[in-house]
């Protein structure tokens, strides 16, 4: 007995649309089981996870703070994934953007005027894009596997940041704590409504980026180019589009947006560089991108859902003593169910009979 | 039914009411068919008539919705290809499933249900190849073999299972006339041994020559059983299509000096990968008003030539390819399109069209550079209204049949998609049209329409280059035929001097180029 995936003749339009919702429900169900196994009341846990953080204004602001980097990174990733470029290194590009943007307030603290913040944002974007250009160039030129190269560069970026804040960029007046000096006032990304909560301009950048990329992907020839090269590279070449050029474009856009997310996070939410500036936004954004069906508008919604899982994780940790690892497990289950639902829309499962014949069939059915 | 052999020596296969439904489409509608022992039975039908679906049900690749299959007098169900093979049904597919990097024997071993040492398999393959006149070296790498030789591997692989019924799907579409003759001899030997053959083809002449009985399908239904030898090609075609297929008309090319629109001089291209054919010193020149056919067995560099001409592969020397007098060798495919050239590649899905994009989007695929003014708006936005209108225009002009408005390319049958892809380029009135395999796997009605469109385009003052493995087609539409063999192109033979034998010999690589050149000069 053996499981086989058989392609369905038709995709169901209905299930294609609601598949993210099904995945969410399944995640909650699986999460409830996980909580009971951990000895918690599953209803309580789900309440603290998904309802409690939505009850107060300040915590809605927190939601926006967490959603901003997720959405910014994920809309960039959607360009990559649609064009069949598997950028797994957004976490590294996020850090590279934060470092590049942090040069001004950390290394030149006396340079203080209204130009600083725009320059920081630009440098953040450029830093992330430059960092993404490395795997992109290696793929376009030498046909290396971008999944490996982009992922490995994440660890390089993390360790480089760690070294910077413990070494050359350590705050001289900071009692030897591994962190840079606080960003000065001109280098801080302003909060939207300071009296109500901490949400800063990052969420605005994220939504603008989503709208712009939605327009590009849906309405323009460039969007068409991205989709054609992703779906059928040979047809794309026939159309006169260049795959290597698209590798660069996709990585530069997604790296740039990840970099912008990075500098927005440190200039907005944190206010300095620390050894760790991200709870894995770059990786969680992969889930966001798929939960949002690689559609920038869907990604905005998905970004808030995943942001909620971060907040809920914290809330559940405080109120009922759940491990903070539960949030990660939650996110992992969500990605699992999203991809599982998508697969089952395209394929159905068949129990195949005796295994020995299967080899021959596979060869003949190609 | 008129069948004479019913009951003779007992029926081997008796199919009744076999039905398969895909969504709203009834691909096979209550199909009856019987095959006796020692019979070559033709299954005729246009593309999309349900032949492949029917055969896949017999071979266990699809599950019927209704109907019964009786095999040697017993009712059976065939859930998997493995089950079909155990019953004694073997199949040779139109598209081979061989690993190029492995040897013939290794490929055979991979598909066998039983486990046997490779030497033993090679020995059995060698015996079979001798017995049936299918010369084959079991230790040759598939990548080095011609298409005809690859087909022999498939046939031997099928024969090794000792089937009583062999299903062949369009087997001669990839063979030279001489190779096809050899295959017919093999099939006749098999028949004389009492094996039965279900032969799928759209080539009526060979069905008339080879087959004892025929079943004709149209729109998923059996429209008749007949003895093909008693029929004419025209009467068979009428049964398949439902009405008369219009003969392609080729008006005389108006004489006089026409400007040369496409010129290729000393084109060389090294092999891009170990399985590609290098192009060697290709020369051709094509003037307005003419159709030049390029014949050749598959895998002799036609695909590589198409890529070089289309600009998907660039030349080192700009002057190697001239389109309307302009050196185009360094121009991309879009640049060449802007000079007035249009291209139709061999593969429809995945090359000429993106399978999961709608027809209107597939229109944009090849037209965004040349028709930017009408199809694109400000900021590079795509004007969906203009696209849909243009796609509808093409659908009407080429009589593309489809379910629903603006479907995905993959939802169209091969013939209809090909009509759309050719129509997409004709709609531009290109000065130069380069087509690879214009009617490959396309039904008779659609093929006639496509061929007529190509001739009409040429006669309206364009130059048309047709690469094809279908000799009948080339003889029907070309003003001259050149042959590709091993990456070289022969001089063109004017159609009046070309015969099947001469072209067939060139396809086999028998006659060196200069002979042909002399022949043309002396003619």
């Amino acid at each position: 007995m053996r499981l086989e995936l058989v392609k369905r003749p038709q995709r169901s339009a209905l299930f294609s649309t609601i598949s993210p919702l099904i995945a969410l429900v399944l995640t909650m169900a699986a999460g409830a089981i996980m909580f009971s196994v951990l000895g918690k009341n599953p209803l309580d846990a789900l309440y603290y996870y998904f309802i409690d953080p939505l009850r107060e204004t300040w915590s809605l602001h927190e939601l926006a703070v967490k959603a901003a980097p997720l959405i910014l990174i994920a809309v960039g990733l959607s360009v990559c994934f649609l064009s069949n470029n598997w950028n797994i290194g957004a976490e590294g590009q996020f850090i590279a953007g934060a470092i590049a943007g942090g040069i001004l307030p950390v290394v030149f603290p006396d340079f203080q005027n209204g130009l600083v913040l725009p320059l920081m944002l630009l440098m953040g974007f450029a830093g992330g894009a430059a960092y993404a250009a490395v795997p992109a160039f290696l793929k376009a030129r030498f046909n290396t596997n971008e999944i490996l190269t982009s992922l490995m560069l994440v660890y390089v970026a993390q360790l480089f940041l760690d070294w910077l804040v413990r070494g050359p960029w350590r705050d001289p007046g900071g009692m030897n704590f591994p962190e840079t000096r606080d960003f000065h006032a001109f280098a801080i990304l302003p909060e939207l409504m300071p009296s109500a909560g901490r949400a800063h301009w990052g969420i605005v950048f994220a939504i603008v980026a989503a709208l712009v990329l939605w327009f590009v992907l849906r309405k323009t020839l460039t969007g068409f180019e991205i989709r054609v090269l992703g779906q059928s590279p040979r047809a794309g070449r026939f159309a006169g589009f260049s795959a290597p050029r698209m590798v660069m474009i996709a990585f530069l856009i997604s790296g740039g947006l990840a970099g912008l997310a990075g500098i927005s996070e440190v200039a907005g939410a944190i206010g300095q560089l620390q050894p760790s500036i991200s709870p894995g936004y770059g990786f969680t954004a992969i889930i966001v991108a798929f939960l949002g069906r690689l559609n920038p508008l869907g990604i905005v919604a998905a970004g808030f859902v995943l942001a909620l899982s971060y907040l809920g994780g914290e809330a559940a940790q405080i109120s009922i003593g759940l491990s903070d690892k539960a949030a990660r497990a939650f996110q992992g289950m969500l990605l699992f169910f999203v991809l599982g639902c998508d697969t089952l829309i395209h394929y159905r499962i068949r129990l195949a009979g005796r295994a020995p014949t299967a080899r021959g069939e596979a060869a003949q059915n190609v | 039914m008129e069948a004479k052999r019913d009951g003779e020596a007992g029926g081997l296969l008796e199919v009744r009411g076999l039905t398969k439904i895909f969504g709203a489409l009834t691909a096979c509608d209550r199909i009856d068919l019987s095959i006796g022992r020692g019979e070559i039975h033709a299954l005729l039908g246009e593309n999309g008539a349900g032949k492949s679906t029917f055969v896949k049900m017999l071979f266990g690749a699809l599950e019927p919705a209704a109907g019964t299959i009786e095999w040697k007098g017993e009712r059976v169900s065939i859930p998997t290809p493995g089950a079909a093979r155990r019953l004694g049904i073997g199949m040779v597919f139109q598209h081979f499933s061989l690993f190029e990097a492995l040897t013939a024997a290794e490929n055979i071993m991979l598909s066998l249900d039983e486990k046997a040492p490779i030497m033993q398999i090679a020995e059995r393959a060698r015996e079979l190849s001798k017995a049936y006149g299918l010369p084959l070296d079991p230790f040759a790498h598939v990548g080095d073999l011609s298409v005809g030789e690859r087909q022999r591997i498939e046939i031997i692989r099928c024969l090794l299972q000792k089937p009583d019924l062999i299903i062949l799907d369009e087997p001669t579409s990839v063979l030279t006339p001489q190779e096809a003759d050899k295959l017919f001899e093999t099939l006749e030997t098999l028949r004389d041994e009492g094996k039965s053959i279900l032969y799928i083809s759209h080539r009526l002449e060979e069905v008339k020559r080879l087959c004892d009985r025929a079943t004709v399908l149209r729109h998923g239904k059996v429209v008749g059983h007949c003895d093909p030898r008693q029929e004419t090609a025209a009467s068979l075609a009428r049964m398949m299509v439902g009405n008369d297929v219009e003969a392609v008309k080729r008006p005389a090319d108006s004489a006089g000096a026409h400007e040369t629109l496409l010129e290729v001089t000393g084109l060389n291209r090294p092999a891009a990968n170990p399985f590609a054919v290098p192009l060697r010193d290709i020369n051709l020149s094509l003037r307005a008003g003419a159709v030049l056919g390029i014949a050749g067995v598959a895998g002799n560099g036609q695909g590589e030539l198409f890529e070089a001409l289309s600009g998907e592969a660039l030349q080192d020397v700009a002057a190697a390819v001239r389109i309307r007098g302009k050196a185009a060798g360094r121009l991309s495919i879009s640049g060449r399109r802007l000079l007035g050239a249009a291209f139709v590649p061999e593969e429809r899905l995945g090359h000429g069209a993106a399978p999961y994009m709608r027809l209107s989007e597939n229109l944009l695929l090849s037209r965004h550079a040349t028709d930017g003014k009408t199809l694109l708006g400000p900021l590079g936005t795509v004007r969906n209204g203009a696209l849909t209108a243009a796609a509808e225009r093409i659908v009407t002009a080429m009589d593309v049949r489809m379910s629903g408005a603006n479907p995905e390319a993959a939802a169209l049958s091969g013939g209809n998609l090909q009509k759309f892809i050719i129509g997409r380029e004709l709609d531009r009135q290109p000065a130069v049209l380069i087509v690879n395999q214009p009617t490959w796997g396309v039904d008779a009605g659609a093929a006639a329409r496509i061929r007529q469109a190509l001739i009409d385009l040429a006669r309206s003052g364009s130059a048309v280059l047709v690469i094809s493995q279908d000799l009948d087609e080339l003889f029907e539409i070309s003003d001259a035929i050149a042959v590709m063999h091993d990456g070289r192109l022969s001089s063109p033979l004017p159609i009046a001097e070309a015969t099947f034998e001469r072209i067939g010999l060139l396809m086999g690589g028998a006659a060196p180029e200069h002979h042909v050149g002399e022949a043309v000069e002396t003619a």
Side-chain angles (χ1 to χ4, degrees), chain B residues 163-452:
Chain B
D164 297 306
L165 173 68
I166 302 163
I167 304 171
L168 292 154
D169 193 357
E170 301 268 358
T172 57
S173 58
V174 292
L175 303 180
T176 66
Q178 287 84 354
E179 283 177 318
D181 284 341
K182 279 229 183 84
L183 174 69
F184 296 157
E185 282 170 27
T186 305
L187 297 183
E188 277 158 2
T189 315
L190 285 167
R191 166 176 57 191
D192 295 343
E193 287 176 1
K195 295 197 188 296
S196 304
I197 291 162
L198 182 59
Y199 189 90
I200 303 174
S201 181
H202 67 276
R203 291 193 176 171
L204 304 171
E205 288 300 337
E206 64 188 42
V207 167
K208 272 173 61 63
R209 170 177 159 189
L210 185 70
C211 301
D212 305 304
R213 278 202 301 157
T215 297
V216 185
L217 297 186
R218 190 191 326 146
H219 300 320
K221 290 196 173 88
V222 173
V223 289
H225 302 278
C226 64
D227 178 348
R229 290 176 181 137
Q230 308 294 320
E231 304 283 333
T232 63
S235 67
L236 287 174
R238 203 175 309 128
M239 285 175 84
M240 268 166 62
V241 183
N243 48 38
D244 283 304
V245 175
E246 275 187 51
V248 173
K249 288 188 268 305
R250 191 157 60 88
D253 181 13
S254 59
H258 290 293
E259 60 169 323
T260 300
L261 292 180
L262 175 69
E263 200 168 8
V264 179
T265 325
L267 170 68
N268 287 296
R269 185 184 170 200
N273 63 61
F275 303 120
V277 178
L279 297 179
R280 305 166 218 253
D281 192 28
I282 306 269
N283 295 289
L284 68 87
S285 115
L286 186 52
R287 57 182 181 73
V291 179
L292 173 66
I294 294 187
V297 177
N300 272 287
Q302 293 98 324
E304 288 81 356
L305 176 64
F306 179 85
E307 284 186 346
L309 294 180
S310 70
E312 287 168 283
L314 296 186
Q315 285 73 57
D316 295 329
V317 189
V321 175
R322 287 181 175 279
I323 296 170
R324 290 165 84 196
K326 300 218 172 51
R330 301 295 301 158
L331 291 182
S332 70
I333 187 165
S334 292
R336 294 181 199 204
R337 284 189 180 123
L338 287 169
L339 286 179
F343 311 96
V344 177
E346 174 178 3
E347 291 282 335
R348 290 184 278 269
L349 288 175
H351 192 179
Y356 301 111
M357 293 201 162
R358 300 186 176 279
L359 288 189
S360 60
E361 294 175 291
N362 270 301
L363 175 75
L364 192 61
L365 195 71
S366 76
R367 300 275 297 269
H368 63 88
T370 51
D371 296 66
K373 269 192 200 128
T374 48
L375 301 180
L376 299 180
L379 290 175
T381 48
V382 175
R383 297 166 104 164
N384 283 317
L387 266 190
T388 318
E392 272 167 16
R393 187 170 70 225
I394 292 162
V395 163
T396 315
M398 293 300 287
D399 186 26
V400 178
R401 315 248 173 97
M402 56 202 196
S403 56
N406 205 10
E408 290 178 353
L412 263 62
S413 74
N416 281 308
L417 182 59
Q418 186 72 357
K419 281 195 281 189
F420 179 81
I421 291 176
I422 299 224
R424 174 177 79 186
E425 307 305 329
L426 294 178
D427 186 56
R428 267 179 61 204
Q429 284 289 322
V432 178
L433 178 64
I434 297 172
V435 194
N436 193 1
Q437 299 277 50
T439 61
W440 178 81
V442 167
D443 58 78
R449 189 173 189 104
I450 288 170
R451 288 172 192 156
Q452 190 64 57

Side-chain angles (χ1 to χ4, degrees), chain A residues 221-251:
Chain A
L221 186 65
T222 310
F224 178 70
E225 183 176 350
I226 290 167
R227 282 180 290 130
V228 170
L229 282 170
Q231 285 184 18
S232 24
R234 206 150 171 234
R237 195 161 51 121
F238 180 69
F241 302 142
S242 155
R245 187 173 144 261
M246 182 52 64
V247 173
M248 295 305 296
I249 291 178
F251 268 85

